[in-house]
Amino acid sequence: MKSPLSHIVFEVTQECNLSCLYCYNHWRRKESTAMESVFKGSMKTLKKLIDTVDFSHIVFTGGEPFLADGFNELVLKCRMKSKGVTVISNGTKGTYRDYKLLCEMGVSLFEFPLHAENYEIHDKLAGCCNAFQSVIDSIRILSEIKMECCVICVLTKLNINNLQKTLDFADNMGIRRFMIARFNIGGRGIENVDTLLPSLLELRKAFSIADGFAQTHKMRISSNVCVPKCIIDPRDYPHISISACGSDLTKRPITVDFSGNVRMCNHSPYIMGNIHSDSIDSILSSEYVNAWQTTRPKYCSDCSQWSDCRGGCRAASEQLGLSIEHEDPIIGMMKGIDCRNNKR
């Protein structure tokens, strides 16, 4: 019997043509190096996933998936097995032919970054000139071929005060799905925390702006990067869909890279096992996974919202060299709290 998971996040490559200041990929940390993917190995891993895991949807990401060897063939393999497919791209490498072909295969959604309404801010965050124009071109192509697109705005100190203008810009382009993502510390973003982390007041104001926009416009706005509820309480923003990493393992963004390494999510740097040497059942029932389910940070010990929040993104704690016994590090950074000693 196959192990059931609602979806799989598949990191098809670690290669990327951008140098985003906020990049959370763990191999972008100073002490890490990226692995090189090859089509044969990626297809072997994908076939193993299809044979051993009962999932209905797969999210292709990276790195930049359009740089992966044989990317179209990997997508086709999934579509031939009736798997739903989402592609998360930086929007700079896909061509009209690429998007048209993937659309004809049945890709259901593309996700691109859109961090501002102007190129100066977007390109600075992307660490690359002309990234903004490439994203705009990609959005227009998808509109022309009538393909759904969701844009993602990572909220940082550099762009958070432009959110209203960015929402207006996206709305005028016909975007109907907009995702706000708080800056989640990890990867290259670790060395840029002081430059990128907004204040608590700025973050809450941005969520209020997004909530008001969703109420008055035909745009679906969501926040899919979990945020501690003591930082952002979803009840204050009823018109935004705000998700969290819950306790249901089958619904978590279990992440598998092209070589078969399995992680709790695409933010966590910890490899739980490899599907080519370990069964997925044994990986998902390991002591580490069990600790994720049962460990409660001291700071969260008396919180009534623990069952929904679960300490925010504890994978960010792992990236900072802390353990999953530590709550999301932005709690301390934004609220001026020494979280490790539970001082308020």
Side-chain angles (χ1 to χ4, degrees):
M1 179 183 256
K2 295 183 180 181
S3 301
L5 290 173
S6 64
H7 66 286
I8 294 286
V9 176
F10 189 66
E11 291 175 338
V12 70
T13 182
Q14 293 185 351
E15 184 180 357
C16 187
N17 59 309
L18 300 185
S19 298
C20 298
L21 299 180
Y22 59 84
C23 180
Y24 62 77
N25 288 144
H26 68 90
W27 59 86
R28 297 298 182 193
R29 294 181 298 179
K30 277 186 175 180
E31 68 275 18
S32 302
T33 55
M35 297 187 298
E36 183 178 352
S37 64
V38 293
F39 172 70
K40 185 177 180 179
S42 298
M43 183 59 82
K44 179 182 177 182
T45 296
L46 192 56
K47 287 180 177 178
K48 184 76 171 181
L49 277 174
I50 292 171
D51 290 342
T52 59
V53 182
D54 180 16
F55 64 96
S56 60
H57 200 92
I58 187 166
V59 179
F60 282 93
T61 184
E64 170 48 51
F66 280 101
L67 296 176
D69 185 27
F71 175 52
N72 290 339
E73 288 84 351
L74 296 170
V75 172
L76 180 60
K77 176 68 175 178
C78 291
R79 292 300 299 135
M80 290 177 67
K81 294 296 182 177
S82 300
K83 308 298 183 184
V85 174
T86 292
V87 175
I88 299 178
S89 164
N90 62 38
T92 67
K93 298 303 292 184
T95 65
Y96 181 93
R97 182 179 178 278
D98 291 327
Y99 294 131
K100 182 70 171 174
L101 179 60
L102 290 169
C103 180
E104 291 172 349
M105 286 184 194
V107 170
S108 58
L109 180 68
F110 289 88
E111 295 182 7
F112 300 135
L114 182 64
H115 303 311
E117 82 292 352
N118 67 76
Y119 74 90
E120 292 100 334
I121 298 175
H122 183 100
D123 287 357
K124 182 173 184 177
L125 283 165
C128 178
C129 295
N130 300 317
F132 175 80
Q133 188 57 54
S134 294
V135 169
I136 299 307
D137 291 343
S138 290
I139 292 172
R140 286 173 175 159
I141 289 171
L142 292 186
S143 177
E144 181 180 338
I145 62 178
K146 302 188 185 311
M147 183 70 215
E148 188 171 17
C149 170
C150 174
V151 298
I152 306 167
C153 180
V154 179
L155 300 174
T156 73
K157 190 183 296 185
L158 300 181
N159 68 337
I160 199 164
N161 293 321
N162 280 64
L163 181 59
Q164 181 69 57
K165 292 180 180 178
T166 307
L167 287 165
D168 288 332
F169 180 81
D171 187 54
N172 290 333
M173 286 196 69
I175 296 295
R176 291 296 171 259
R177 295 183 63 173
F178 194 104
M179 188 187 304
I180 52 174
R182 57 94 166 190
F183 168 54
N184 201 3
I185 303 166
R188 186 182 289 112
I190 294 173
E191 59 194 91
N192 296 312
V193 170
D194 292 341
T195 301
L196 299 180
L197 188 68
S199 69
L200 179 56
L201 181 62
E202 287 174 323
L203 188 64
R204 289 176 175 172
K205 181 180 178 181
F207 269 73
S208 293
I209 289 171
D211 186 71
F213 197 91
Q215 184 178 10
T216 57
H217 293 72
K218 293 181 179 179
M219 181 184 286
R220 176 184 168 190
I221 301 180
S222 63
S223 171
N224 292 34
V225 176
C226 64
V227 189
K229 286 182 169 45
C230 56
I231 297 295
I232 293 293
D233 190 334
R235 294 171 296 188
D236 296 331
Y237 314 97
H239 303 98
I240 305 175
S241 173
I242 301 177
S243 61
C245 293
S247 59
D248 187 348
L249 191 63
T250 65
K251 296 180 180 179
R252 288 187 62 90
I254 299 299
T255 298
V256 183
D257 69 23
F258 51 83
S259 65
N261 293 324
V262 183
R263 308 197 313 279
M264 185 64 85
C265 65
N266 55 351
H267 201 85
S268 174
Y270 183 83
I271 296 172
M272 304 188 293
N274 187 290
I275 61 171
H276 297 300
S277 56
D278 311 296
S279 71
I280 194 71
D281 281 341
S282 66
I283 293 172
L284 298 182
S285 61
S286 66
E287 194 172 303
Y288 171 80
V289 172
N290 183 59
W292 261 91
Q293 303 295 89
T294 59
T295 302
R296 185 166 179 166
K298 184 179 179 182
Y299 178 76
C300 306
S301 60
D302 59 352
C303 181
S304 62
Q305 299 200 72
W306 162 255
S307 60
D308 294 324
C309 176
R310 306 189 71 78
C313 182
R314 287 181 286 162
S317 297
E318 290 182 315
Q319 289 230 31
L320 291 179
L322 304 168
S323 74
I324 57 172
E325 295 179 356
H326 197 289
E327 68 287 343
D328 193 318
I330 69 160
I331 296 175
M333 293 179 180
M334 285 192 162
K335 299 182 75 174
I337 300 167
D338 184 349
C339 299
R340 282 163 288 188
N341 295 318
N342 200 24
K343 292 179 181 176
R344 299 175 185 270

